[in-house]
Amino acid sequence: MALSGIEIFKKLPKKNCGECGVPTCLAFAMKLATGQAELVACPYVSDDVRAAIDEASAPPIRTLTIGAGDRAVKLGGETVMFRHEKRLENPPGLALVLSDTMDDSVVNEKLSKFKYLEFERVGLILRPQMLALKEESGDAGKFAAFVKRVIDQMDAAIILMSDRPEVISEALKVSKDKKPLIYAATNDTAEAMGSLAKESACPLAVKGSGLDEVMAITDKLLGMGLKDLVIDSQPVNVKKALEDQVVIRRSALVKKVKQLGFSTITFPGQLTDNKMKETLIASLLIAKYAGVIVLSEMEGHNVFPLLLASLNIYTDPQRPMAVEEKVYEIGGPREDSPVLITSNFSLTYFIVSGEVESSRIPAWLLIKDTEGLSVLTAWAAGKFAADTVAVFIKKCGIADRVKHRKLVIPGYLAGMSGELEEELPDWQILVGPREAAHLSAYLKQWSA
Amino acid sequence: MALEIPKVSYSGKIREIVLGKGDKAITVGGGTSYPFYLFEGQMPLKPRIAMEVYDSPPDDWAPTALEPFADVAGDPVAWAKKCIDTYGAEMIALQLVSTDPNGENRSAEEAAALTKKVAEAVDVPLIVWGCNNAEKDTEVLKKIAEDCAGRSLMIGPVTEANYKQVGAVAIGYEHTVIASTPIDINLAKQLNILLGNLGVPDGRILIDPTTGALGYGLEYGYSVMERIRMAALTQEDERLQFPMVCNLGKEVWKTKEAKQSRDEAPKLGDPAKRGVLMEAITAQLVLAAGADILIMRHPESIALIQDMLNDLLAA
Ligand code: SF4
């Protein structure tokens, strides 16, 4: 936890020389405590004090990055138990398991599917980012060659999975520039794995049965100077998996237990053989704090819903999601297709575009920038006023794309149709349904 | 190294509410911790699932969702019985979509006659859900409450706009009200206060916080539910200590992605599994946020959730 201003002040040199930019050490301490200044501004702090203050002001859950390329995964930095308290920071990385005993053709097929599973939503690209490469052959050379082949073929954040330090050591030779996560240090291998992680500057996972064993291992590794750790508590069932995630997060945030101040790695496939259930366990782990979720299978039907779950849960509750202001073409509209307008609140967009699509009537959907506010809120805030709507209609170019001049506005804004007609004399303003659910019926009776 | 688990001390408890009557009556609620946090509290009564039955044959359902009910889709009584006999439904939720004035606009009398037939045919607790048009729902739910007097139905959505009329008949004819508010903890509390003032007994109120589907606003309801549970359990907000109902099946299955075929959405994998997972994940997430009653559609999503509930609540 961050230190208070007074606690920091006690550690400062008390010269009151002003070189830090504020007149006194006390004033500087207060600024530090609220994050408005950085410790480097004071030239007189000793290294010991710097280390003590840095450590005390570090986030309770360590932030770290796995991987190096486009699909690098940032984890940690979490500060709350519930998203409404502020927000959840870094969504979990979804990883697909590949084994060095799989046939090349199977691996190739899985990799091409992995690459193919990419979805656009609200202007974001949703996709799985991680590959968990598992040594099952018992052969360090074979595993290293397998790791190399995968890395050459696919840009992904890599997890190297083997209990044997000598296997990891070989694999790191070909992969350490990619900053893979080493999985895992156990009670028996903590020192050897710790050294490998340190030499290669790669993050290291800790595997223990239960939190007490995990803490003993992380304590040892912290003692060796390692910081970028990830935790696997090897829960034996779903109930315990949930409990461990909650206890780890809460211990780190509330009790500042430094041995548990790390992100987690989870394996829902270890808790069931049923792929559908594995996906459900994964969804619960998305909501309840997992850092990495390793899946035994990735298909569109399980990955897409999990990515949606992650998008929903990790959306910043204080910032509404918005889509881009523009003309959206739904179902290949023509010059006699209906023209609808609504707000750019992403939920509004999804629901309206979904309803239009399912009506199977092609249409032009005009999305006006309302700063992510829904229709009624935007209207109340003056972001959906007749004059600004008119400006948008003129500049968006819809008039060149349709022959008719009929504009459908949201039912809730029926009151503005007169004003809008004055602003847009060429257009006839039609009042659409209040609820998107009635759009389909409305569109079916619409004619140009 | 022995970890001392930092526990939350809960001061509140979710009210226990009896649903239905007779041998098949069910009690929900009773939780004394955040959902499934059994290391620091109890969840003595497991969340329950009501299977949907529609009052008119569905016309735009995904083939996967329709397939299990294709033989009963035009007959709500047979549909309800199939849910119970074939799929082991522990509750039924009759969705009265055909009463919608913007749709078929069936009369309150027709809706009440149908509800009565279904109520007589099943012995499990019965939820009756209107068309979300406050005016029409008032008329429909009043008539149903009267005609099904003493059957202990759960009727909703009861909103700020119609709580007086529907609340009054619920008191008189002994039904439970589903108090529905649009994703807002303060409005939820306010409506419960109003229902209490009206005289609806505390043992006959359920909260509908409004549920969005996965990918379609799920997170708003999710957070409101978490806040409701937090207020109920740690701030002893007794007007929020009621079990929560999530009418999620219809929300999920109307989304584009739950309906698209393999040709329409080749990247989204097997359409049947996708739809089932979208419904089950929505259910799993609202359970994690505090749902006590789920209204669901597909037998496979329901089976998956039952399996998860058994795991999460295992002794
Ligand atoms: S530079 Fe350092 S010693 Fe000088 S006033 Fe600022 S904090 Fe104090």
Side-chain angles (χ1 to χ4, degrees):
Chain A
M1 184 186 57
L3 292 174
S4 72
I6 296 296
E7 283 165 319
I8 296 174
F9 171 66
K10 287 184 188 152
K11 296 181 195 292
L12 290 176
K14 306 193 186 65
K15 291 164 71 101
N16 297 329
C17 66
E19 282 177 46
C20 55
V22 287
T24 63
C25 294
L26 181 60
F28 183 61
M30 292 303 170
K31 286 206 167 235
L32 277 178
T34 52
Q36 295 168 24
E38 299 214 21
L39 196 54
V40 290
C42 170
Y44 303 108
V45 190
S46 70
D47 286 351
D48 285 357
V49 168
R50 190 183 309 279
I53 292 178
D54 275 353
E55 189 180 302
S57 56
I61 297 171
R62 172 94 181 158
T63 50
L64 76 129
T65 302
I66 301 170
D70 273 357
R71 294 186 196 237
V73 174
K74 192 178 172 204
L75 299 175
E78 303 295 340
T79 57
V80 295
M81 300 297 297
F82 296 98
R83 62 188 294 281
H84 66 80
E85 293 172 322
K86 185 172 174 212
R87 65 172 167 265
L88 301 179
E89 298 288 341
N90 290 307
L94 300 184
L96 172 66
V97 175
L98 297 175
S99 160
D100 68 348
T101 56
M102 284 174 179
D103 282 347
D104 286 1
S105 60
V106 174
V107 171
N108 289 342
E109 199 193 307
K110 285 182 178 262
L111 284 177
S112 56
K113 185 166 271 169
F114 180 84
K115 201 180 270 181
Y116 175 67
L117 293 175
E118 190 171 290
F119 313 92
E120 211 220 292
R121 210 166 170 92
V122 232
L124 299 171
I125 300 290
L126 307 181
R127 62 185 185 187
Q129 296 142 292
M130 311 185 81
L131 292 171
L133 308 181
K134 193 171 186 182
E135 174 263 311
E136 286 178 319
S137 64
D139 178 339
K142 184 173 182 196
F143 182 60
F146 167 68
V147 169
K148 170 118 182 46
R149 194 164 71 79
V150 171
I151 288 177
D152 288 346
Q153 248 176 293
M154 183 71 220
D155 175 31
I158 300 292
I159 305 171
L160 300 175
M161 298 179 68
S162 173
D163 283 342
R164 293 162 55 206
E166 62 278 18
V167 171
I168 295 292
S169 171
E170 280 304 305
L172 280 171
K173 283 179 191 157
V174 298
S175 64
K176 66 168 183 271
D177 295 346
K178 302 279 179 193
K179 295 284 166 247
L181 171 67
I182 301 168
Y183 179 93
T186 59
N187 220 350
D188 297 334
T189 61
E191 264 152 56
M193 291 287 196
S195 308
L196 288 170
K198 210 168 177 180
E199 280 157 30
S200 59
C202 290
L204 175 62
V206 168
K207 178 166 80 171
S209 27
L211 295 180
D212 289 347
E213 190 175 300
V214 163
M215 286 172 68
I217 306 169
T218 56
D219 202 54
K220 207 182 286 181
L221 295 167
L222 285 167
M224 290 172 67
L226 286 151
K227 289 189 175 132
D228 287 341
L229 303 178
V230 171
I231 292 174
D232 172 16
S233 62
Q234 291 281 301
V236 292
N237 56 40
V238 179
K239 181 181 165 186
K240 186 73 181 148
L242 174 66
E243 175 183 331
D244 283 357
Q245 292 297 320
V246 174
V247 170
I248 291 169
R249 169 70 57 95
R250 206 190 271 162
S251 301
L253 294 186
V254 182
K255 288 262 212 90
K256 324 295 168 205
V257 175
K258 69 174 194 298
Q259 292 87 352
L260 295 178
F262 302 102
S263 296
T264 59
I265 180 168
T266 58
F267 298 85
Q270 289 177 357
L271 305 172
T272 177
D273 292 329
N274 173 345
K275 306 282 183 217
M276 300 289 272
K277 188 174 172 190
E278 179 184 347
T279 306
L280 270 194
I281 300 171
S283 75
L284 179 61
L285 289 167
I286 287 171
K288 293 292 175 179
Y289 318 135
V292 175
I293 301 172
V294 181
L295 299 169
S296 63
E297 161 186 278
M298 281 197 185
E299 297 286 343
H301 55 254
N302 72 331
V303 168
F304 176 71
L306 288 177
L307 290 168
L308 284 186
S310 182
L311 177 70
N312 283 171
I313 297 291
Y314 279 81
T315 291
D316 184 347
Q318 289 151 19
R319 199 154 15 114
M321 299 269 282
V323 293
E324 193 190 338
E325 171 175 284
K326 67 172 190 184
V327 178
Y328 290 81
E329 298 177 20
I330 300 176
R334 295 184 314 249
E335 54 185 15
D336 57 352
S337 298
V339 177
L340 315 162
I341 186 167
T342 192
S343 81
N344 80 332
F345 177 37
S346 63
L347 194 55
T348 305
Y349 166 76
F350 280 132
I351 292 171
V352 172
S353 63
E355 292 292 342
V356 174
E357 208 161 314
S358 66
S359 77
R360 299 188 194 274
I361 309 238
W364 305 93
L365 179 58
L366 311 186
I367 294 294
K368 181 185 179 314
D369 183 1
T370 55
E371 293 169 22
L373 299 176
S374 65
V375 167
L376 272 180
T377 325
W379 178 76
K383 310 283 181 206
F384 211 104
D387 54 341
T388 62
V389 170
V391 169
F392 171 57
I393 298 293
K394 286 173 193 157
K395 79 167 189 227
C396 73
I398 186 66
D400 301 332
R401 301 169 85 173
V402 294
K403 273 193 319 203
H404 67 82
R405 289 289 178 270
K406 289 179 179 173
L407 175 66
V408 181
I409 63 170
Y412 280 106
L413 300 186
M416 76 184 273
S417 64
E419 215 182 322
L420 200 51
E421 259 166 2
E422 273 171 40
E423 297 277 349
L424 290 169
D426 299 345
W427 290 79
Q428 184 187 347
I429 307 302
L430 304 175
V431 177
R434 287 179 154 228
E435 302 298 337
H438 302 136
L439 261 176
S440 185
Y442 178 85
L443 290 173
K444 283 177 184 146
Q445 53 80 45
W446 191 94
S447 64
Chain B
M1 197 160 281
L3 173 70
E4 202 193 311
I5 298 177
K7 291 186 179 167
V8 168
S9 64
Y10 300 100
S11 48
K13 179 183 170 188
I14 305 307
R15 224 176 267 284
E16 291 184 12
I17 307 281
V18 181
L19 311 174
K21 62 200 298 188
D23 287 354
K24 296 286 177 66
I26 283 174
T27 309
V28 292
T32 61
S33 69
Y34 293 135
F36 312 107
Y37 287 22
L38 300 185
F39 55 93
E40 61 185 12
Q42 272 97 50
M43 209 167 160
L45 302 162
K46 84 170 184 174
R48 299 293 189 146
I49 302 171
M51 282 185 86
E52 288 186 319
V53 169
Y54 280 77
D55 64 344
S56 67
D59 58 355
D60 59 346
W61 281 21
T64 324
L66 188 57
E67 198 261 343
F69 310 108
D71 54 336
V72 291
D75 180 349
V77 170
W79 189 336
K81 285 189 152 159
K82 183 167 188 186
C83 288
I84 298 168
D85 300 339
T86 307
Y87 301 116
E90 44 197 14
M91 291 172 70
I92 296 293
L94 182 59
Q95 310 264 28
L96 297 172
V97 287
S98 73
T99 59
D100 190 341
N102 289 301
E104 277 181 68
N105 199 17
R106 279 203 210 151
S107 69
E109 287 69 26
E110 277 175 277
L114 172 66
T115 306
K116 199 168 176 196
K117 271 207 296 191
V118 175
E120 278 165 1
V122 305
D123 51 1
V124 300
L126 180 62
I127 295 172
V128 181
W129 203 286
C131 64
N132 279 321
N133 175 307
E135 222 172 293
K136 184 64 181 279
D137 283 347
T138 311
E139 199 189 319
V140 169
L141 295 177
K142 269 172 73 176
K143 181 78 177 135
I144 288 173
E146 212 176 297
D147 290 6
C148 299
R151 288 198 179 268
S152 300
L153 305 176
M154 280 65 71
I155 56 175
V158 176
T159 66
E160 207 194 334
N162 64 13
Y163 81 93
K164 279 190 189 151
Q165 299 94 314
V166 182
V169 292
I171 299 170
Y173 299 106
E174 292 172 27
H175 302 296
T176 294
V177 299
I178 300 173
S180 182
T181 44
I183 326 186
D184 186 307
I185 184 172
N186 298 316
L187 294 178
K189 181 174 174 175
Q190 179 63 19
L191 184 54
N192 293 344
I193 292 172
L194 292 171
L195 287 167
N197 293 347
L198 190 71
V200 177
D202 286 348
R204 291 207 248 129
I205 297 175
L206 299 168
I207 297 175
D208 162 30
T210 304
T211 305
L214 179 68
Y216 290 83
L218 169 73
E219 69 271 31
Y220 299 93
Y222 177 89
S223 280
V224 165
M225 292 173 75
E226 287 197 326
R227 292 178 61 197
I228 289 176
R229 266 301 130 93
M230 190 179 263
L233 294 173
T234 67
Q235 293 143 30
E236 285 169 273
D237 199 328
E238 65 94 24
R239 292 326 285 170
L240 291 172
Q241 289 171 338
F242 298 96
M244 291 191 275
V245 189
C246 292
N247 194 352
L248 64 99
K250 68 186 172 90
E251 296 300 322
V252 175
W253 288 101
K254 79 177 183 201
T255 67
K256 181 173 77 181
E257 292 85 356
K259 287 195 219 170
Q260 281 170 322
S261 68
R262 201 185 276 274
D263 287 347
E264 289 167 319
K267 277 196 180 192
L268 298 182
D270 181 333
K273 290 181 177 164
R274 184 205 317 142
V276 165
L277 282 173
M278 288 183 70
E279 182 177 30
I281 290 177
T282 304
Q284 182 60 62
L285 292 176
V286 295
L287 281 171
D292 298 277
I293 302 167
L294 307 171
I295 301 178
M296 295 179 67
R297 181 169 302 175
H298 203 288
E300 278 177 50
S301 346
I302 293 171
L304 280 166
I305 289 295
Q306 295 288 17
D307 192 358
M308 286 295 286
L309 283 172
N310 289 337
D311 281 11
L312 285 164
L313 295 171

